[in-house]
PDB file of all heavy atoms in Angstrom:
ATOM      1  N   ASP B  31     107.232  90.411 115.694  1.00 93.00           N
ATOM      2  CA  ASP B  31     106.360  90.267 116.849  1.00 93.00           C
ATOM      3  C   ASP B  31     106.896  89.233 117.835  1.00 93.00           C
ATOM      4  O   ASP B  31     106.797  89.410 119.041  1.00 93.00           O
ATOM      5  CB  ASP B  31     104.944  89.907 116.395  1.00 93.00           C
ATOM      6  CG  ASP B  31     104.225  91.118 115.798  1.00 93.00           C
ATOM      7  OD1 ASP B  31     104.681  92.252 116.025  1.00 93.00           O
ATOM      8  OD2 ASP B  31     103.219  90.921 115.110  1.00 93.00           O
ATOM      9  N   CYS B  32     107.474  88.160 117.324  1.00 94.00           N
ATOM     10  CA  CYS B  32     108.081  87.155 118.204  1.00 94.00           C
ATOM     11  C   CYS B  32     109.159  87.796 119.061  1.00 94.00           C
ATOM     12  O   CYS B  32     109.248  87.562 120.270  1.00 94.00           O
ATOM     13  CB  CYS B  32     108.749  86.055 117.391  1.00 94.00           C
ATOM     14  SG  CYS B  32     107.609  84.908 116.648  1.00 94.00           S
ATOM     15  N   LEU B  33     109.991  88.609 118.451  1.00 94.00           N
ATOM     16  CA  LEU B  33     111.075  89.251 119.184  1.00 94.00           C
ATOM     17  C   LEU B  33     110.531  90.165 120.275  1.00 94.00           C
ATOM     18  O   LEU B  33     111.192  90.413 121.273  1.00 94.00           O
ATOM     19  CB  LEU B  33     111.961  90.039 118.224  1.00 94.00           C
ATOM     20  CG  LEU B  33     112.870  89.164 117.350  1.00 94.00           C
ATOM     21  CD1 LEU B  33     113.364  89.926 116.131  1.00 94.00           C
ATOM     22  CD2 LEU B  33     114.058  88.675 118.168  1.00 94.00           C
ATOM     23  N   ARG B  34     109.326  90.655 120.070  1.00 92.00           N
ATOM     24  CA  ARG B  34     108.715  91.520 121.076  1.00 92.00           C
ATOM     25  C   ARG B  34     107.863  90.734 122.055  1.00 92.00           C
ATOM     26  O   ARG B  34     107.129  91.306 122.841  1.00 92.00           O
ATOM     27  CB  ARG B  34     107.867  92.592 120.394  1.00 92.00           C
ATOM     28  CG  ARG B  34     108.722  93.711 119.812  1.00 92.00           C
ATOM     29  CD  ARG B  34     107.936  94.473 118.753  1.00 92.00           C
ATOM     30  NE  ARG B  34     108.747  95.479 118.104  1.00 92.00           N
ATOM     31  CZ  ARG B  34     109.856  95.227 117.416  1.00 92.00           C
ATOM     32  NH1 ARG B  34     110.316  93.989 117.317  1.00 92.00           N
ATOM     33  NH2 ARG B  34     110.527  96.204 116.820  1.00 92.00           N
ATOM     34  N   GLY B  35     107.888  89.412 121.968  1.00 92.00           N
ATOM     35  CA  GLY B  35     107.236  88.605 122.975  1.00 92.00           C
ATOM     36  C   GLY B  35     105.892  87.994 122.613  1.00 92.00           C
ATOM     37  O   GLY B  35     105.279  87.316 123.428  1.00 92.00           O
ATOM     38  N   VAL B  36     105.411  88.227 121.412  1.00 93.00           N
ATOM     39  CA  VAL B  36     104.147  87.615 121.013  1.00 93.00           C
ATOM     40  C   VAL B  36     104.396  86.129 120.746  1.00 93.00           C
ATOM     41  O   VAL B  36     105.440  85.768 120.213  1.00 93.00           O
ATOM     42  CB  VAL B  36     103.601  88.299 119.742  1.00 93.00           C
ATOM     43  CG1 VAL B  36     102.330  87.618 119.264  1.00 93.00           C
ATOM     44  CG2 VAL B  36     103.351  89.776 120.009  1.00 93.00           C
ATOM     45  N   SER B  37     103.450  85.280 121.140  1.00 94.00           N
ATOM     46  CA  SER B  37     103.691  83.853 120.931  1.00 94.00           C
ATOM     47  C   SER B  37     102.465  83.035 120.547  1.00 94.00           C
ATOM     48  O   SER B  37     102.575  81.850 120.298  1.00 94.00           O
ATOM     49  CB  SER B  37     104.327  83.247 122.187  1.00 94.00           C
ATOM     50  OG  SER B  37     103.373  83.195 123.221  1.00 94.00           O
ATOM     51  N   ARG B  38     101.289  83.677 120.485  1.00 94.00           N
ATOM     52  CA  ARG B  38     100.092  82.887 120.172  1.00 94.00           C
ATOM     53  C   ARG B  38      99.409  83.281 118.876  1.00 94.00           C
ATOM     54  O   ARG B  38      99.368  84.456 118.513  1.00 94.00           O
ATOM     55  CB  ARG B  38      99.076  83.013 121.308  1.00 94.00           C
ATOM     56  CG  ARG B  38      99.695  82.491 122.576  1.00 94.00           C
ATOM     57  CD  ARG B  38      98.691  82.113 123.581  1.00 94.00           C
ATOM     58  NE  ARG B  38      99.415  81.673 124.766  1.00 94.00           N
ATOM     59  CZ  ARG B  38      98.853  81.479 125.943  1.00 94.00           C
ATOM     60  NH1 ARG B  38      97.564  81.694 126.081  1.00 94.00           N
ATOM     61  NH2 ARG B  38      99.569  81.068 126.959  1.00 94.00           N
ATOM     62  N   PHE B  39      98.861  82.257 118.266  1.00 93.00           N
ATOM     63  CA  PHE B  39      98.210  82.403 116.967  1.00 93.00           C
ATOM     64  C   PHE B  39      97.296  83.627 116.865  1.00 93.00           C
ATOM     65  O   PHE B  39      97.503  84.489 116.002  1.00 93.00           O
ATOM     66  CB  PHE B  39      97.414  81.144 116.664  1.00 93.00           C
ATOM     67  CG  PHE B  39      96.885  81.104 115.264  1.00 93.00           C
ATOM     68  CD1 PHE B  39      97.673  80.634 114.224  1.00 93.00           C
ATOM     69  CD2 PHE B  39      95.601  81.543 114.989  1.00 93.00           C
ATOM     70  CE1 PHE B  39      97.176  80.601 112.925  1.00 93.00           C
ATOM     71  CE2 PHE B  39      95.108  81.528 113.691  1.00 93.00           C
ATOM     72  CZ  PHE B  39      95.898  81.051 112.666  1.00 93.00           C
ATOM     73  N   ASP B  40      96.339  83.717 117.741  1.00 92.00           N
ATOM     74  CA  ASP B  40      95.394  84.816 117.628  1.00 92.00           C
ATOM     75  C   ASP B  40      96.037  86.181 117.861  1.00 92.00           C
ATOM     76  O   ASP B  40      95.573  87.185 117.323  1.00 92.00           O
ATOM     77  CB  ASP B  40      94.218  84.617 118.583  1.00 92.00           C
ATOM     78  CG  ASP B  40      93.136  83.760 117.937  1.00 92.00           C
ATOM     79  OD1 ASP B  40      93.440  83.089 116.929  1.00 92.00           O
ATOM     80  OD2 ASP B  40      91.997  83.768 118.420  1.00 92.00           O
ATOM     81  N   ASP B  41      97.108  86.201 118.649  1.00 92.00           N
ATOM     82  CA  ASP B  41      97.788  87.475 118.858  1.00 92.00           C
ATOM     83  C   ASP B  41      98.493  87.922 117.582  1.00 92.00           C
ATOM     84  O   ASP B  41      98.500  89.097 117.235  1.00 92.00           O
ATOM     85  CB  ASP B  41      98.790  87.369 120.014  1.00 92.00           C
ATOM     86  CG  ASP B  41      98.079  87.185 121.353  1.00 92.00           C
ATOM     87  OD1 ASP B  41      96.884  87.533 121.437  1.00 92.00           O
ATOM     88  OD2 ASP B  41      98.706  86.675 122.293  1.00 92.00           O
ATOM     89  N   PHE B  42      99.094  86.950 116.888  1.00 92.00           N
ATOM     90  CA  PHE B  42      99.708  87.307 115.606  1.00 92.00           C
ATOM     91  C   PHE B  42      98.639  87.828 114.657  1.00 92.00           C
ATOM     92  O   PHE B  42      98.801  88.866 114.019  1.00 92.00           O
ATOM     93  CB  PHE B  42     100.405  86.094 114.983  1.00 92.00           C
ATOM     94  CG  PHE B  42     101.654  85.659 115.694  1.00 92.00           C
ATOM     95  CD1 PHE B  42     101.738  84.421 116.302  1.00 92.00           C
ATOM     96  CD2 PHE B  42     102.763  86.502 115.750  1.00 92.00           C
ATOM     97  CE1 PHE B  42     102.893  84.020 116.962  1.00 92.00           C
ATOM     98  CE2 PHE B  42     103.929  86.108 116.407  1.00 92.00           C
ATOM     99  CZ  PHE B  42     103.992  84.864 117.013  1.00 92.00           C
ATOM    100  N   CYS B  43      97.538  87.115 114.577  1.00 89.00           N
ATOM    101  CA  CYS B  43      96.456  87.541 113.687  1.00 89.00           C
ATOM    102  C   CYS B  43      96.027  88.969 114.000  1.00 89.00           C
ATOM    103  O   CYS B  43      95.871  89.793 113.100  1.00 89.00           O
ATOM    104  CB  CYS B  43      95.246  86.617 113.833  1.00 89.00           C
ATOM    105  SG  CYS B  43      95.534  84.986 113.162  1.00 89.00           S
ATOM    106  N   ALA B  44      95.829  89.250 115.282  1.00 87.00           N
ATOM    107  CA  ALA B  44      95.338  90.561 115.662  1.00 87.00           C
ATOM    108  C   ALA B  44      96.323  91.671 115.290  1.00 87.00           C
ATOM    109  O   ALA B  44      95.920  92.763 114.897  1.00 87.00           O
ATOM    110  CB  ALA B  44      95.064  90.585 117.166  1.00 87.00           C
ATOM    111  N   ARG B  45      97.619  91.403 115.408  1.00 87.00           N
ATOM    112  CA  ARG B  45      98.587  92.456 115.153  1.00 87.00           C
ATOM    113  C   ARG B  45      98.913  92.631 113.679  1.00 87.00           C
ATOM    114  O   ARG B  45      99.367  93.689 113.260  1.00 87.00           O
ATOM    115  CB  ARG B  45      99.905  92.144 115.844  1.00 87.00           C
ATOM    116  CG  ARG B  45      99.773  92.196 117.345  1.00 87.00           C
ATOM    117  CD  ARG B  45     100.992  91.619 117.976  1.00 87.00           C
ATOM    118  NE  ARG B  45     101.292  92.323 119.202  1.00 87.00           N
ATOM    119  CZ  ARG B  45     102.221  93.262 119.301  1.00 87.00           C
ATOM    120  NH1 ARG B  45     102.951  93.604 118.262  1.00 87.00           N
ATOM    121  NH2 ARG B  45     102.426  93.862 120.441  1.00 87.00           N
ATOM    122  N   LEU B  46      98.731  91.572 112.901  1.00 86.00           N
ATOM    123  CA  LEU B  46      99.241  91.616 111.541  1.00 86.00           C
ATOM    124  C   LEU B  46      98.289  92.228 110.519  1.00 86.00           C
ATOM    125  O   LEU B  46      98.733  92.768 109.508  1.00 86.00           O
ATOM    126  CB  LEU B  46      99.631  90.209 111.102  1.00 86.00           C
ATOM    127  CG  LEU B  46     101.128  89.917 111.140  1.00 86.00           C
ATOM    128  CD1 LEU B  46     101.763  90.440 112.402  1.00 86.00           C
ATOM    129  CD2 LEU B  46     101.374  88.443 111.001  1.00 86.00           C
ATOM    130  N   GLY B  47      96.998  92.087 110.734  1.00 81.00           N
ATOM    131  CA  GLY B  47      96.092  92.593 109.723  1.00 81.00           C
ATOM    132  C   GLY B  47      96.154  91.817 108.419  1.00 81.00           C
ATOM    133  O   GLY B  47      95.960  92.362 107.345  1.00 81.00           O
ATOM    134  N   CYS B  48      96.435  90.532 108.495  1.00 86.00           N
ATOM    135  CA  CYS B  48      96.342  89.701 107.295  1.00 86.00           C
ATOM    136  C   CYS B  48      95.467  88.511 107.663  1.00 86.00           C
ATOM    137  O   CYS B  48      95.049  88.361 108.812  1.00 86.00           O
ATOM    138  CB  CYS B  48      97.711  89.250 106.819  1.00 86.00           C
ATOM    139  SG  CYS B  48      98.547  88.092 107.901  1.00 86.00           S
TER     140      CYS B  48
END
Side-chain angles (χ1 to χ4, degrees):
Chain B
D31 285 343
C32 285
L33 286 161
R34 283 160 184 61
V36 177
S37 71
R38 300 201 182 168
F39 189 85
D40 274 17
D41 292 339
F42 289 116
C43 290
R45 293 169 145 260
L46 258 44
C48 68

